[in-house]
Amino acid sequence: MKYKQWHRAACPPGGRRAMEAAGIPPLAAMVLCARGLDTPEKAAAFLDSSLGQLRDPLLMKDMDKAAARVARALEAGETIAVYGDYDVDGITSTCLLTDFLRSEGGQVIPYIPDRMEEGYGLNTDALDTLQREGVSLVVTVDCGITAVEEADHARALGVDLVITDHHECKSRLPQAEAVVDPHRSDCPYPFKCLAGVGVALKLVLALGGPARQRELLERYADLAAVGTVADVMSLTGENRTIVRLGLEGLRRTRRPGLKALLREAGLEERPLTSGTIGYTLAPRINASGRMGRAALAGELLLTDSPARGEELAAELCQLNRDRQAIEAEIYEECEALAQALPQQQRYALVLAGEHWHQGVVGIVASRLADKYSCPAFMICLQDGKGKGSCRSFAGFNLFAALEHCAPLLEGFGGHELAAGFTIREENIPAFAQAMNDYVRAATGGEEMVSVLDIDAEVEDPGLLTLEGAESLDLLEPYGAGNPKPVFSLSGCLITALSEVGGGRHLKLKLAAGGRSFDAIFFSATAAQAAVAVGDRVDVAFTPQVNEYRGWRTVQLQVCDLRPALTRAQAERALYEKFRRGEALTPGEAEALLPSREEFVVLWRYLKGHAHPAPLEETAPRLARSIARSAGRRETVMRTLVCLEVFDERGLIRLERTTDHLHIALQAVEGKVDLEDSWILRRLREMRG
């Protein structure tokens, strides 16, 4: 198993039926119900990606001040610097605002700091340089919210500063002409999940006014979508609208460089989704910043020359290949370091090295967090100082953890799930201890485990048709806050398997419910998955449409496999699930619900064997004895449900220790109506 736990969400049958009655296809209805969107009204509100989702940018605190100061600079012909960040969000933010201001006649200098030489965010040397170049207004995008000292320095230089950002705020805000960040505690803006490029887009919309909204969205949604997806922002609310518009705009983008990059990455003829942005396009743009050449990606997105766009696109793709090679080397070294750590230092993985490439350690941290199921902190050392990148696991709040360890740090910033920090080398051991103590306390000493969230069990494999898989497009765009749907099929038979892609991936043929399915398990071999032809497995997967030589078929993209339970194990697991009070699928409830005849047969047996002395028995033996006496198959789980109902209605006194049962008949007066049983009512309600 790739994941230690599978967590299957509850899907109320009544909600699913109401959704299907409203015209939502079955698979999509199952996913929406599992995610709490269990009425047609809730589903419609979530799926809405119309322009009506977009809020007035002037609702954002200080947006009026920011727009007024920028408009004044445009009118007066001031030189404006747009100061960004070297990741995809920062680069797209910089290019979006630069392009707009230039189109309005502005004198604009885009500035993206060098990751290796300058690090993240505003720095005083850059402000000095921009002031000497005649800049009188600096507008930050995707950075600046923690730049208190740098803002004071800009003021001392006589340079006005407008900050637009989306990162978490500290208690003290920089002193600037305007500080625009939806995470400000005093900001009433209702949607807090905008990316840095989303906030930059809002500034552009505020400058353009309501009359130009559609025009400006059509012009800049492509850049906004790329930055939003790349920064793993929640694809709900406004972000669904921004990304939907951006995906439509990407295919017909007028940016020569972006068009060339789509072609160089092999996306020219393929459908464009949030997945193609996140896994194919964004890494190539990101590679420029990671390798210390962010200006290349900035030039690519701003160039008007198709020829130059082709050159830059090829260069970015090569940089991405270089990044992958360096990342593989560092990851291999870090695995050895992690394995050498004692268990008490694995609540939070803190690793440091002198020769690591600062631009790729964030990716390595993410991979380590997934592998070791804990937050990971990677620190690049040079001259006694360390620059750190960290990634979360299981939603752990990194920003709060770094705040707790702030006395040991020189500085920090970022999100709950990804952050950066600086630290002196001599403080690293104390930091590692403090962070491990903090994580251990936050988790109650429990080991974090990898959990796969499954939306629903597919009880009818007949739903997995080409039409069914295509119907899930209704839920696009996928991303944070709206992940790809994951379903499960139980008891599938592996009828064929082979390793493909140079032995890196596992191709399977699965049989379930009289149907056969092709499946692909990426980055897994037969040995790693521990499977062979003839095995029965439970499969967690995402249905997708596979196109090959003009044929379109359903393929199951496997997320995980696990050995299927035996019938007895499956029955016991289902019964225990019911006893824990968890919601059941309609099929599970049906399987647990005893018939009237089963109650009658069991009661007759108990009257003959539990009187006058109580009956001492195990559940499996009791079920087998009843089956023999009735000449029919009885299940352990339904036998146990019958006993629970008898106990609830006062007919017996039931005591259980694991499988051992102590059953004593109780004296009752008059008739007892089993139909009044709360247990039966609950099962029938879940059965629908």
Side-chain angles (χ1 to χ4, degrees), residues 533-574:
V533 172
D535 287 351
R536 285 201 175 272
V537 293
D538 296 337
V539 185
F541 64 93
T542 297
Q544 61 182 17
V545 177
N546 186 44
E547 297 192 30
Y548 182 69
R549 294 182 178 176
W551 287 90
R552 303 176 78 247
T553 57
V554 176
Q555 184 179 61
L556 310 185
Q557 184 171 324
V558 177
C559 306
D560 202 6
L561 295 168
R562 67 183 184 188
L565 298 176
T566 64
R567 176 176 290 174
Q569 289 171 329
E571 288 183 357
R572 174 50 60 90
L574 178 56

Side-chain angles (χ1 to χ4, degrees), residues 132-201:
R132 287 195 297 270
E133 292 180 8
V135 170
S136 56
L137 173 63
V138 173
V139 183
T140 74
V141 288
D142 193 34
C143 66
I145 196 63
T146 60
V148 173
E149 294 177 4
E150 292 81 2
D152 293 342
H153 185 74
R155 192 164 59 255
L157 291 174
V159 174
D160 284 348
L161 183 64
V162 167
I163 292 172
T164 75
D165 201 350
H166 75 125
H167 292 94
E168 297 287 345
C169 305
K170 295 183 180 178
S171 56
R172 183 183 170 196
L173 295 177
Q175 295 296 306
E177 295 293 305
V179 178
V180 181
D181 187 326
H183 288 289
R184 283 182 60 163
S185 60
D186 58 349
C187 180
Y189 198 76
F191 187 69
K192 304 295 184 182
C193 301
L194 290 171
V197 72
V199 180
L201 176 64

